[in-house]
Amino acid sequence: MVKRRRVDLFRPFYKTVRRMTSAGSPSDALEAVTEGVVESVGFAVAAVSWLTSDGRFEVVSVAGSDNARAALLGTSVSMAEMERELEASELWGSLLFLPARKLDSIAPGWVPDASAIALDGDWHPEDTLRCPLRSADGELTGLLAVDLPRDGRRPGPDQRELLEMYADLAGLALASARRTARLKDRVRLAEAVKATLRAAQVANVPVDREDGDHAGSTLLRSLLDGTIGPAGRALQSEATWLRVFESADNPHMIVHTGLQHGGPPPGDLGASLTALARAAWADEGVVLSSADADRWVSTSPPTTAAEEQVPVAGSKAGWIMGRRSQEVPTDVRSPEAAAYVHASGLDQLLLSPLGVGSECVGYLIVGRTAGAWLPEEVDAATQIGRHLGQAVMGLRLAEREQVLVERLQSLDRYKNSLISTVSHELRTPLTSVTGYLELLEEAVPEVMTAGPFVPVIRRNVDRMLALTDELLQLERLGRDAGQQPAAEVVDLRLLVQEAVTQFRAMADEQEVRLEATLVAGPVHLHGNRHDLDTIVTNLLSNAVKYTPAGGVITVVLERTDRFVRLAVADTGIGISEADQEELFTEFFRSTNAEALALPGTGLGLSIVRRIAQRHGGSIRLVSTPGEGSTFTVRLPLTHLPAVPQA
């Protein structure tokens, strides 16, 4: 008989467990708990309140009394108010009992319509019995409260034990629901941060100035329009706006969505928000405001704040997870801010600065009518602000870079135009002088032996003509940069052989030995014959010019399956490391006194490099002062189809 009674006692508990495991939502599971308590524990009223994200205990399930349900369901009290009652309560195992006699300084909640009973051990209408609902590791998730015992007596040990069992069930249900909700929040917020990062990466593309002078502004507007919606939805805001600064004091662009009254902040408040954003960025924090205050409160982002277990009611009710995010009123205490919040129909605002490095470039504000900001939401807003700041700065840098490129291109075009004009204007009179010199030599032959005057004139005119030819070639190479050279098949071996023959007499005259080792057979390249010949003659001319008597010049031409390599080595004066860095720059002359004593324009090697690059090749220099230099040009080969044998 006793065994049967125990089975009957636990049958409602078993039914409650079955209902909880099949519940479709946390509220259904908690309803099963409260109804199970009313049915089997012996109380006429049972209620469960859960701890919300903003630290309030909200009643979410009431069973047993329609009056109690109507009075309690949906109501909430703050953690501070509840903690005062819990601290004043007596500890009955894991239960917390607050007798009516201790309610003098504590405002009572719902009081049942029942007569007070004065007998010892009887239940007083203002008695309160609560059981903390905890997770498996002791975190407080809510409270289970009971009232109106059916026998009119305070519960005995068996009732208390059974009530603790139901509280354990409710605690596990709430902990599971909270974990699920937190996971969903984190996934939602992580997706928002990823979406912002993707938008930032898409926005950081080169600015196409051909689309107009405001291409950068168009991309910025597209960035803001593309991120404000996802950011607002992820942070569950009812109003969102973004502002980007153009300079230290001038707002550049603002977009907003969801504002029902008044639009973005007015100018005077906007200036305060700008100051707040910059201060928050410097402090690596965000800024919060609520409608019941005339001030903004700055807080460090939770990601940088230490998380710790905070005991509730001296650990009587367990603990909650808290963060040491320092909240300090800022210097801005503005009634206009509170008025604007009220006028917008919002209760809570969160301002997250946008920035990168030490520079704040704008701010994001989200607002809603209820509910404090979750730590995860503050984290997400902080990350969104950083990603947007990087994107904005990237767009600005790209736009500035494009402007600089355009200016440099304009200067380069002007330089090429100037070189072309000056060279043509110089070449015409120089050609005329050359013609008259030739006429003078034919008409008066004895003038050639009368003194050094005519040969000097001839030599300097030739130098000026050579300079104008180099300037014109440099201008043409600059104008045709990026274009493929003329599609002409050139035998580089033949060009090298002809150049060696041309410069051998000059080398012999200077007592310099000129040696050549050339690969057998033709070496075909696609390119401009005149330009390729310029490479060979420039390198050989420099080698002969800067190699003293007794020196050696070696020319090597070899090839692989894909490339041909031309190396011109000499045992001349060499080039210092400092000069090597500038050697291929236009008009650069070596700082070596011996080199400066010889005539030159500083254009030859610059032209050689441009020609090599235009033909898909490169040039490399190895040199040691006093020992000589080796210039190596590498160019791609052209493979011609084999000619069939007759």
Side-chain angles (χ1 to χ4, degrees):
M1 189 69 180
V2 173
K3 183 177 180 180
R4 179 68 182 176
R5 183 182 177 188
R6 288 182 177 175
V7 171
D8 291 341
L9 182 64
F10 280 97
R11 182 174 287 110
F13 184 78
Y14 172 74
K15 185 171 67 174
T16 299
V17 173
R18 289 284 303 271
R19 283 188 61 187
M20 287 182 61
T21 55
S22 61
S25 66
S27 58
D28 292 340
L30 296 177
E31 184 178 342
V33 171
T34 54
E35 291 179 358
V37 170
V38 169
E39 181 180 351
S40 62
V41 181
F43 287 87
V45 178
V48 168
S49 57
W50 64 19
L51 185 59
T52 63
S53 61
D54 54 350
R56 298 185 68 84
F57 288 92
E58 179 184 355
V59 179
V60 294
S61 179
V62 180
S65 169
D66 292 338
N67 290 336
R69 183 179 295 107
L72 294 176
L73 197 62
T75 61
S76 66
V77 296
S78 67
M79 171 64 76
E81 293 176 293
M82 182 59 70
E83 197 165 16
R84 284 198 300 270
E85 292 194 15
L86 297 179
E87 287 176 344
S89 300
E90 299 173 4
L91 196 60
W92 288 2
S94 64
L95 305 179
L96 294 169
F97 176 65
L98 182 64
R101 58 184 170 79
K102 291 189 177 183
L103 289 176
D104 295 340
S105 59
I106 301 175
W110 174 76
V111 179
D113 186 13
S115 302
I117 301 174
L119 298 177
D120 188 33
D122 288 344
W123 184 269
H124 191 282
E126 294 184 359
D127 284 348
T128 303
L129 181 60
R130 297 187 179 93
C131 187
L133 309 182
R134 303 183 181 95
S135 65
D137 53 359
E139 182 180 5
L140 180 64
T141 59
L143 294 168
L144 169 63
V146 293
D147 207 342
L148 294 180
R150 299 188 187 281
D151 59 3
R153 301 284 294 174
R154 293 175 179 175
D158 290 341
Q159 279 182 292
R160 296 179 191 177
E161 184 177 2
L162 188 57
L163 186 60
E164 288 175 338
M165 293 172 65
Y166 276 97
D168 286 342
L169 285 178
L172 293 175
L174 273 181
S176 177
R178 174 170 290 188
R179 283 194 300 270
T180 301
R182 284 178 176 173
L183 180 60
K184 289 181 179 179
D185 285 337
R186 287 171 182 167
V187 171
R188 167 176 56 85
L189 295 169
E191 287 300 321
V193 173
K194 287 181 182 178
T196 307
L197 182 58
R198 286 194 295 269
Q201 292 170 339
V202 170
N204 279 321
V205 296
V207 180
D208 188 359
R209 304 294 294 186
E210 294 181 359
D211 293 339
D213 292 337
H214 302 289
S217 298
T218 301
L219 285 175
L220 180 59
R221 171 69 66 175
S222 176
L223 168 67
L224 301 185
D225 288 341
T227 55
I228 188 170
R233 287 190 296 272
L235 296 171
Q236 297 183 334
S237 68
E238 298 164 45
T240 311
W241 63 92
L242 280 163
R243 176 169 294 213
V244 175
F245 311 138
E246 182 177 16
S247 60
D249 305 307
N250 193 15
H252 176 64
M253 186 174 295
I254 185 167
V255 295
H256 57 85
T257 181
L259 296 179
Q260 300 176 358
H261 306 288
D268 54 347
L269 182 54
S272 298
L273 295 178
T274 299
L276 280 170
R278 292 196 171 108
W281 181 255
D283 295 338
E284 299 184 354
V286 297
V287 183
L288 309 175
S289 180
S290 60
D292 58 357
D294 63 350
R295 69 184 180 186
W296 297 81
V297 176
S298 64
T299 177
S300 58
T303 50
T304 61
E307 192 174 45
E308 62 180 1
Q309 294 180 2
V310 179
V312 179
S315 298
K316 285 183 179 180
W319 53 267
I320 59 174
M321 191 59 70
R323 297 177 185 263
R324 294 178 180 175
S325 57
Q326 185 180 10
E327 294 191 356
V328 181
T330 68
D331 294 335
V332 179
R333 190 176 184 89
S334 171
E336 292 83 7
Y340 173 74
V341 174
H342 282 296
S344 300
L346 304 171
D347 294 328
Q348 302 286 336
L349 291 182
L350 184 153
L351 181 150
S352 178
L354 318 182
V356 60
S358 61
E359 183 175 357
C360 176
V361 298
Y363 55 78
L364 162 72
I365 296 183
V366 289
R368 58 192 183 198
T369 55
W373 303 102
L374 296 172
E376 292 84 0
E377 290 175 324
V378 177
D379 275 343
T382 302
Q383 293 183 57
I384 289 172
R386 289 172 181 167
H387 291 325
L388 283 176
Q390 293 170 357
V392 170
M393 185 61 70
L395 284 175
R396 289 181 174 175
L397 290 176
E399 189 171 12
R400 292 172 190 169
E401 180 181 356
Q402 186 66 25
V403 170
L404 290 175
V405 168
E406 289 180 356
R407 290 177 179 174
L408 289 173
Q409 289 174 340
S410 177
L411 288 172
D412 192 58
R413 288 192 296 270
Y414 175 77
K415 179 201 70 176
N416 289 337
S417 175
L418 180 63
I419 289 175
S420 177
T421 302
V422 171
S423 298
H424 280 292
E425 292 299 322
L426 284 174
R427 187 169 184 79
T428 300
L430 288 173
T431 303
S432 178
V433 170
T434 302
Y436 280 110
L437 279 175
E438 291 175 354
L439 290 175
L440 182 62
E441 291 172 0
E442 293 176 3
V444 189
E446 59 270 17
V447 77
M448 298 300 297
T449 59
F453 307 109
V454 173
V456 169
I457 294 173
R458 163 73 72 178
R459 187 167 56 253
N460 283 284
V461 167
D462 289 342
R463 287 182 59 188
M464 291 294 292
L465 284 172
L467 175 60
T468 56
D469 287 341
E470 288 185 336
L471 287 172
L472 287 171
Q473 187 175 23
L474 184 67
E475 184 272 333
R476 177 179 61 81
L477 291 171
R479 185 180 65 248
D480 297 341
Q483 299 180 14
Q484 292 295 324
E488 177 184 1
V489 177
V490 181
D491 184 356
L492 185 62
R493 183 183 186 279
L494 182 59
L495 292 181
V496 173
Q497 194 171 28
E498 291 175 352
V500 169
T501 301
Q502 174 187 346
F503 285 96
R504 190 176 298 280
M506 184 185 302
D508 291 342
E509 184 180 343
Q510 295 182 195
E511 299 180 4
V512 173
R513 190 167 78 251
L514 177 56
E515 300 175 348
T517 303
L518 309 182
V519 65
V523 178
H524 291 123
L525 304 178
H526 262 116
N528 184 290
R529 177 182 297 274
H530 177 265
D531 287 349
L532 293 173
D533 184 63
T534 299
I535 290 179
V536 180
T537 56
N538 261 290
L539 294 181
L540 273 172
S541 173
N542 285 344
V544 173
K545 183 191 300 184
Y546 296 112
T547 302
V552 179
I553 299 172
T554 304
V555 180
V556 177
L557 181 68
E558 55 187 11
R559 66 181 174 188
T560 64
D561 289 340
R562 296 174 56 199
F563 296 97
V564 59
R565 187 175 71 92
L566 170 65
V568 178
D570 63 60
T571 58
I573 61 177
I575 304 166
S576 67
E577 289 187 11
D579 284 353
Q580 289 180 40
E581 295 179 3
E582 302 288 338
L583 194 63
F584 295 98
T585 304
E586 298 163 10
F587 301 104
F588 176 79
R589 294 297 311 277
S590 172
T591 57
N592 187 308
E594 292 182 65
L596 289 174
L598 299 172
T601 62
L603 292 174
L605 289 176
S606 175
I607 291 173
V608 168
R609 184 176 66 172
R610 288 200 183 192
I611 294 173
Q613 291 174 344
R614 188 163 177 250
H615 284 75
S618 62
I619 183 169
R620 186 169 61 93
L621 166 65
V622 176
S623 183
T624 302
E627 296 182 11
S629 305
T630 300
F631 289 87
T632 303
V633 176
R634 193 179 75 155
L635 297 168
L637 273 171
T638 297
H639 295 280
L640 298 178
V643 178
Q645 299 294 326

